[in-house]
Amino acid sequence: MSQSVPPPRRVLVVDDDPTVTEVVAGYLNRAGFVVDRAADGPAALARAATHPPDLVVLDLMLPGLDGLTVCRRLREAGPVPVVMLTARGDEEDRILGLEVGADDYVTKPFSPRELVLRVASVLRRAGGGPGAGGAVPRGAVLRGAGITLDPAARTAEDGRGPLRLTLREFDLLAHFLRHPGRAFSREELMATVWGWDFGDLSTVTVHVRRLRHKVETDPARPRLITTVWGVGYRFDADGGE
């Protein structure tokens, strides 16, 4: 009996530079992805609506609608992962991209091979992609501080109802729920949750802040995800009691 082969994942590449689009699309095609393209914000949203992508590679600076607005609207429509491209080295721009829901970012100029690796990594976390075999995260339902998280169904809720989490927010919350009471450094969280041995640690800081806004009663005075000065962050399962 032959084993069914999962369909290739669809990636939407959005950039107004045709050279960048051509190079990125070529590398992604060779890596086994189906690639759609758009040159501006409105075209990207229209393409995503008619041919829903599994992931979007999105330039920050776009005509029509900027990348931040496009990312925000994509996130409002559904949980599609976003890898953002930016030509700026300004940390503020990268943080803005993460704040509106981007799962990862790559700064121009970038290595196309690195971008493909980032795309594959994000898709594996989302539950599929070349080399992932369409695997879905397994594990028992996690509970703590009034939160219920199902790793297989990719759902999370608390006493107020479903939690709308991005890909990385979900993985970060799952990690905290699996290890209540333990303090993790940002480096440890980046290695475990993101799977990166190096990177911009502000990525972790932003995601912790975003997650607090979704699970804390008062994000300005967090009781669940607390800061351990000189170390990092700890999830206190009794904090919501």
Side-chain angles (χ1 to χ4, degrees):
M1 183 176 179
S2 60
Q3 185 176 6
S4 61
V5 178
R9 310 294 274 182
R10 181 180 295 273
V11 177
L12 174 59
V13 178
V14 188
D15 198 302
D16 62 334
D17 186 332
T19 301
V20 171
T21 303
E22 186 69 29
V23 171
V24 170
Y27 272 82
L28 288 170
N29 275 320
R30 286 192 288 274
F33 297 101
V34 173
V35 181
D36 291 327
R37 310 179 194 186
D40 58 46
L45 293 174
R47 188 68 178 175
T50 57
H51 295 83
D54 295 297
L55 181 142
V56 180
V57 175
L58 178 64
D59 189 26
L60 179 63
M61 302 299 293
L62 291 171
L65 291 173
D66 62 75
L68 294 176
T69 301
V70 173
C71 184
R72 188 179 297 111
R73 293 189 183 180
L74 287 170
R75 297 299 311 163
E76 290 170 353
V80 60
V82 175
V83 175
M84 188 161 280
L85 304 178
T86 173
R88 303 176 184 175
D90 191 348
E91 181 182 11
E92 181 180 351
D93 292 314
R94 300 197 297 272
I95 290 177
L96 280 173
L98 296 170
E99 288 282 12
V100 298
D103 296 284
D104 198 356
Y105 66 85
V106 177
T107 303
K108 294 180 179 179
F110 58 86
S111 161
R113 288 187 178 88
E114 177 192 356
L115 177 58
V116 171
L117 289 175
R118 293 288 184 94
V119 167
S121 172
V122 171
L123 281 173
R124 277 195 298 273
R125 292 278 178 172
V136 175
R138 302 290 179 181
V141 172
L142 303 171
R143 293 183 175 86
I147 298 169
T148 301
L149 182 146
D150 187 335
R154 302 291 296 189
T155 59
E157 62 181 15
D158 62 10
R160 298 166 294 183
L163 297 171
R164 294 193 61 180
L165 305 175
T166 67
L167 173 69
R168 298 296 189 186
E169 290 165 1
F170 185 96
D171 290 341
L172 183 59
L173 180 57
H175 181 74
F176 280 138
L177 285 169
R178 287 189 179 103
H179 305 282
R182 177 179 168 185
F184 291 93
S185 68
R186 293 190 299 169
E187 290 87 350
E188 288 175 315
L189 291 172
M190 178 163 282
T192 304
V193 178
W194 277 259
W196 303 348
D197 293 327
F198 60 90
D200 185 349
L201 295 177
S202 65
T203 300
V204 177
T205 306
V206 170
H207 279 78
V208 168
R209 183 165 66 241
R210 284 177 55 87
L211 187 56
R212 280 172 170 165
H213 276 278
K214 297 181 180 181
V215 302
E216 298 280 2
T217 303
D218 182 0
R221 297 175 177 83
R223 299 178 62 188
L224 302 182
I225 305 173
T226 57
T227 299
V228 181
W229 298 109
V231 180
Y233 304 102
R234 181 182 65 234
F235 182 79
D236 293 316
D238 297 329
E241 299 296 330

